[in-house]
Amino acid sequence: MEANGSGSQGFPELKNDTFLRAAWGEDTDYTPVWCMRQAGRYLPEFRETRAAQDFFSTCRSPEACCELTLQPLRRFPLDAAIIFSDILVVPQALGMEVTMVPGKGPSFPEPLREERDLERLRDPATVTSELSYVFQAITLTRQQLAGRVPLIGFAGAPWTLMTYMIEGGGSSTMAQAKRWLYQKPQASHQLLRILTDALVPYLVGQVAAGAQALQLFESHAGHLGPQLFSKFALPYIRDVAKQVKARLQEAGLAPVPMIIFAKDGHFALEELAHAGYEVVGLDWTVAPKKARERVGKTVTLQGNLDPCALYASKEEIGRLVQQMLDDFGPQRYIANLGHGLYPDMDPEHVGAFVDAVHRHSRLLRQ
């Protein structure tokens, strides 16, 4: 297994592979750390870069995505970069219109309402050509990173993408999307299959372009109970991992570790640990020790500091990190937040989090 995944593009050699080693379950000298939404609105330089541009225009500019991905690494000694993009580029590539409404979030002017609306969707096989801008951003960023840390690619999981496509935006109940699961199970499976068929080549394409790890975001897992999750989310989560791995092998590409993050999906921890992913991400509602007991020793865990803990004093952040690291243990663990950074967070407190992880995890190993 090629740890640095330097690929055929002649990328610079990887200098810090701590994150990848932890993801594969190998021993590390310290606990690697990165933050979900680390390229984001909490950084003044992000707001400056993004100010003049519409959100999705930014996503379509490889130069802008590269710059935004690198910004947090100039400030903090993070152990991984994650490409700046959005999970909703996949519904866009399938032919749905999505706009980003300031202060409100994503909006689909014409969401899916009836089964026949599925006919409006493009063939999932065309998605990779529609999303070539993401691949360009990954290749450019991988070159600009100069081997400092690995680059993570990502996508939204089928159920989470389905919720946006039917709800037409965010929702506190997901009642429209769940209505489909109960009233239109056949059409729901058809949509989830279309999304899976789009996601697999998209994720493989990210690796071909230079991504060294992949994260699948099942951000809306918590709206499903165990039964709906095992029927409409889990089979597709499993299928994505299985197919991506098979296709990487067919294409002669080195394997990359895959992370599944199912927010509020604690009821399915055991199933997720056996879904074909090397890493299971945890939100902050899960106790680390219990999670470790439940998933066993075969996967790496990632997470799970409450993002709001970054509102605490730097001393308190240090204490919380220490407790978290003690609970997870030194190996098979990647430190992160239990969800993404919020726009009003102080960058200095993000730095305090990263430094505390590095400092305390080295002490733990002595």
Side-chain angles (χ1 to χ4, degrees):
M1 177 184 317
E2 183 196 23
N4 69 351
S6 54
S8 53
Q9 290 96 328
F11 288 124
E13 197 179 340
L14 185 57
K15 301 183 188 88
N16 173 2
D17 65 350
T18 310
F19 161 80
L20 293 180
R21 288 214 319 276
W24 286 120
E26 296 165 21
D27 284 1
T28 59
D29 302 333
Y30 64 89
T31 298
V33 56
W34 66 281
C35 298
M36 289 186 272
R37 295 232 167 118
Q38 64 190 27
R41 297 164 296 177
Y42 71 102
L43 292 175
E45 58 267 38
F46 174 96
R47 293 193 293 272
E48 278 164 36
T49 307
R50 272 266 296 106
Q53 273 189 314
D54 157 72
F55 178 80
F56 285 109
S57 310
T58 306
C59 289
R60 283 189 287 273
S61 159
E63 294 72 23
C65 291
C66 175
E67 167 60 22
L68 294 170
T69 302
L70 295 176
Q71 281 176 354
L73 294 161
R74 294 188 192 121
R75 278 187 184 247
F76 316 116
L78 294 153
D79 294 291
I82 183 164
I83 194 67
F84 178 83
S85 185
D86 195 85
I87 64 171
L88 298 181
V89 298
V90 169
Q92 275 184 335
L94 287 168
M96 292 190 79
E97 190 193 335
V98 192
T99 56
M100 199 58 83
V101 182
K104 185 183 162 228
S107 172
F108 289 69
E110 293 180 51
L112 304 175
R113 285 283 171 249
E114 302 301 329
E115 279 174 61
R116 63 171 181 271
D117 292 339
L118 296 180
E119 292 160 26
R120 300 190 339 228
L121 299 177
R122 286 195 191 116
D123 178 352
T126 64
V127 162
T128 46
S129 54
E130 291 288 325
L131 295 175
S132 58
Y133 61 86
V134 178
F135 306 144
Q136 289 162 18
I138 286 172
T139 301
L140 179 63
T141 305
R142 180 78 192 272
Q143 283 158 348
Q144 297 288 316
L145 268 170
R148 192 188 326 183
V149 293
L151 179 61
I152 304 169
F154 72 90
W159 156 250
T160 292
L161 295 178
M162 173 179 170
T163 63
Y164 282 106
M165 293 161 80
I166 292 173
E167 297 286 343
S171 156
S172 59
T173 60
M174 300 296 160
Q176 294 305 318
K178 288 174 74 176
R179 175 192 291 237
W180 270 55
L181 302 183
Y182 285 110
Q183 289 185 353
K184 311 185 211 301
Q186 220 93 32
S188 297
H189 281 299
Q190 192 188 337
L191 174 54
L192 291 161
R193 170 57 45 210
I194 290 168
L195 286 163
T196 302
D197 290 346
L199 286 168
V200 171
Y202 177 49
L203 288 165
V204 171
Q206 290 188 45
V207 176
Q212 291 151 291
L214 296 169
Q215 178 154 315
L216 197 67
F217 284 86
E218 188 70 281
S219 310
H220 297 164
H223 291 276
L224 301 175
Q227 286 168 312
L228 287 179
F229 187 84
S230 66
K231 199 168 165 188
F232 293 102
L234 192 61
Y236 300 98
I237 287 171
R238 281 196 186 117
D239 208 29
V240 167
K242 190 174 152 193
Q243 286 199 58
V244 166
K245 288 176 178 195
R247 292 227 201 155
L248 287 176
Q249 200 170 0
E250 282 163 29
L253 291 162
V256 300
M258 295 180 70
I259 307 165
I260 176 67
F261 175 62
K263 185 166 183 296
D264 298 318
H266 38 79
F267 51 80
L269 257 187
E270 289 84 354
E271 290 85 348
L272 290 165
H274 295 104
Y277 294 76
E278 284 70 31
V279 184
V280 175
L282 304 175
D283 62 57
W284 68 92
T285 65
V286 184
K289 282 181 177 164
K290 287 198 177 131
R292 181 67 78 194
E293 279 165 28
R294 287 174 59 190
V295 305
K297 300 270 194 288
T298 53
V299 296
T300 292
L301 291 173
Q302 174 178 283
N304 69 338
L305 191 73
D306 180 356
C308 291
L310 298 186
Y311 294 129
S313 68
K314 291 180 186 178
E315 295 72 33
E316 179 65 8
I317 291 169
R319 281 193 290 274
L320 293 165
V321 165
Q322 184 169 349
Q323 182 66 60
M324 178 173 83
L325 292 172
D326 289 348
D327 288 351
F328 275 109
Q331 303 298 349
R332 271 204 176 276
Y333 173 55
I334 296 161
N336 204 320
L337 304 172
H339 198 219
L341 286 158
Y342 302 148
D344 63 351
M345 287 179 165
D346 182 344
E348 292 215 351
H349 286 226
V350 177
F353 166 63
V354 173
D355 292 341
V357 170
H358 286 156
R359 196 174 59 246
H360 187 69
S361 65
R362 285 184 191 280
L363 290 174
L364 258 188
R365 285 167 172 72
Q366 281 172 16

